[in-house]
Amino acid sequence: MSLLLSMAAFALASSITPGPVNIVALSAGAQFGLGPAMRHVSGATLGFTLLLLAIGLGLDQVLLRWPLLTEAIRLAGVAFLLYMAYRLARDDGRFNTERPALRPGLLQGAAMQWLNPKAWLASVAGMGLFAAGGDGPAVWRFAAVYFVICYASLACWAFAGTFLRHHLARPERVRALNRLMAALLAGCAFYLLQD
């Protein structure tokens, strides 16, 4: 039981802290409401869980052998974060318009985790702590715990955005929030370029 609690504590600390996926969940909740934001949350949770399983089952060894692949993932992550920041910064701030391409969805949430360096670090560190050596049952157990915690953590960010939605009655307030979120995403991207 203490091992499960340790796994849950690690998952919570990694999932609830601010990062690009959380910022998009908050923004989606504020811009589109809880339903569309939860599609992003579901995709991000599934994407992260698949990444975690892949790392636990040996993908980390592939990355050690091919460091250029790691660099390509990092640069793709930076490009994706800058793209998301651009989209948020350009948004006009009006609610309830028909712009389905701007709504974060299941696939976008999943892809975002695979391009999110925070997700890669959490996966490698977590599997190193709780399932070293690729112990199959430990990998699956940790992934199951992480799935639940990740989903709940991201849902909190989406709900917080939905709460903010009630305080963002005017488009200029939404634009201000979107530009703040865009600046945070761009900051994450530029931080990743410092390596």
Side-chain angles (χ1 to χ4, degrees), residues 17-81:
T17 53
V21 176
N22 306 58
I23 292 168
V24 172
L26 178 80
S27 183
Q31 180 79 16
F32 302 109
L34 192 58
M38 290 307 290
R39 285 192 286 279
H40 167 75
V41 166
S42 298
T45 302
L46 289 170
F48 179 80
T49 304
L50 289 174
L51 175 62
L52 186 67
L53 285 168
I55 294 291
L57 299 173
L59 182 60
D60 58 331
Q61 297 304 310
V62 172
L63 296 176
L64 285 173
R65 287 191 184 135
W66 292 320
L68 284 177
L69 183 58
T70 303
E71 182 64 12
I73 291 168
R74 184 175 76 89
L75 292 175
V78 166
F80 188 72
L81 291 178

Side-chain angles (χ1 to χ4, degrees), residues 26-27 29-30 95 158-169 177 181:
L26 178 80
S27 183
F95 289 141
F159 182 75
T162 303
F163 175 76
L164 283 176
R165 181 180 175 92
H166 301 294
H167 299 286
L168 301 170
L177 174 69
M181 297 298 109

